[in-house]
Amino acid sequence: MSLTNFPGGGSSSTGVPITKVTMPALAEMKRQGKPISALTAYDYATSRLVDEAGMDMILVGDSLAMVVMGQDNTLAVTVDEMLHHTRAVRRAVRRALVVADMPFGSYHGTVAEGVTNAVRFIKEAGAEAVKIEGPRAELVEALTEAEVSVVAHLGLTPQSVHRMGGFRVQARTVDTVLRLKADAHSLADAGAGVLVLEGVPREVAASITAELPIPTIGIGAGPDCDGQILVFHDLVNMTFAPPAKFVRRYADAAALIRSAVEHYREDVERRTFPSDQESYHLSATVRKALGMDSDDDEIDTLVNKDALPDF
């Protein structure tokens, strides 16, 4: 059993009203020069903590294929799986903008198919925007016309891992830099509200950020973007692999969880968990009727407490 109620609905735990982050709000943050904080999340509990910590944007990333499902890359996750996780995240979030990654294959056919799948994330899962990879201006324009907010994604696009020959830094030559900048402008012109730049040199990201009217969110793109995003599991050392150069680990959740589980196992093996105080007892009347009566004053004290909870 767990308690998942929100205190006050539209207020924080301190009673302060919550101002919902929207796509226009992110655009205003860029205009005012306020950095945008973003993080991935994939489940209710994590998303609730991330939202309460004040993130502006939460991405239900297809990276869950790797960090949650143990896949080698992001390609195997399905639309239904992404919808499942997006629903869980949306239930937890009150402030941040919730963005759902459209998985590989869900928008790589016709534009109409891409729009249909995107609408599912808005209608069925409660996402407030979808993210698509690559220079797909025609799709972005169609999604915008369908009232679907779009976060575009250029540079190192993980769904293109096979074409790129692995996870490699992009836009390192004159031609590729110019191509990336042209694609960024094309996506912004088509209606994208935010652009994620991943795995590109700092100078390239800074130039694109300065030129575009929409916010840029960097991941491995240097500090000059309008905002930054990391994968939650990278942030807290839950990926079981050496971190990428751009990852900063802020906590070691792996060590904390492993230690807690080990201590629990040891207590079970030593029979020190659960203790008598962590156990439920029959009342003295029921024990007597069953022939279980004892002179254990400690038990009588426990069971006769007015505030003895059911759970």
Side-chain angles (χ1 to χ4, degrees), residues 99-227:
V99 181
D101 243 336
M102 291 188 66
F104 181 71
S106 66
Y107 59 97
H108 295 76
T110 66
V111 169
E113 290 170 343
V115 171
T116 296
N117 285 323
V119 167
R120 291 190 67 190
F121 282 96
I122 307 300
K123 188 176 181 67
E124 298 178 28
E128 295 158 317
V130 297
K131 184 173 77 65
I132 62 172
E133 296 184 6
R136 302 175 187 277
E138 184 182 1
L139 175 59
V140 171
E141 186 173 359
L143 289 170
T144 302
E145 291 177 356
E147 308 297 343
V148 176
S149 296
V150 180
V151 174
H153 184 166
L154 292 176
L156 194 169
T157 48
Q159 292 177 7
S160 304
V161 60
H162 295 318
R163 176 180 60 78
M164 293 185 302
F167 299 112
R168 304 176 184 278
V169 176
Q170 302 296 299
R172 306 181 89 165
T173 67
V174 171
D175 288 344
T176 54
V177 169
L178 294 176
R179 180 71 263 170
L180 182 65
K181 294 180 73 171
D183 290 340
H185 281 278
S186 177
L187 290 167
D189 292 342
V194 173
L195 174 64
V196 173
L197 292 170
E198 180 171 0
V200 299
R202 173 180 180 176
E203 298 83 358
V204 178
S207 179
I208 292 174
T209 299
E211 294 176 10
L212 289 188
I214 64 173
T216 60
I217 306 294
I219 175 168
D224 305 301
C225 294
D226 296 304

Side-chain angles (χ1 to χ4, degrees), residues 284 287 293-305:
R287 293 201 319 273
D293 202 14
S294 71
D295 296 325
D296 194 331
D297 293 334
E298 182 179 357
I299 291 180
D300 287 338
T301 299
L302 283 171
V303 299
N304 288 324
K305 282 185 178 179

Side-chain angles (χ1 to χ4, degrees), residues 231-272:
V231 171
F232 176 84
H233 291 64
D234 285 333
L235 187 84
V236 297
N237 190 27
M238 288 281 287
T239 53
F240 308 99
K245 178 180 181 178
F246 58 81
V247 171
R248 183 180 297 179
R249 285 180 169 165
Y250 286 82
D252 192 349
L256 175 66
I257 294 170
R258 185 180 293 109
S259 175
V261 173
E262 287 175 351
H263 288 154
Y264 164 70
R265 174 185 54 78
E266 290 167 358
D267 285 350
V268 170
E269 292 175 350
R270 291 195 297 257
R271 297 189 181 279
T272 59

Side-chain angles (χ1 to χ4, degrees), residues 20-37:
K20 186 73 177 73
V21 178
T22 62
M23 291 292 274
L26 295 181
E28 182 61 26
M29 290 180 72
K30 177 183 177 76
R31 284 190 288 270
Q32 294 183 15
K34 294 182 178 179
I36 298 167
S37 60

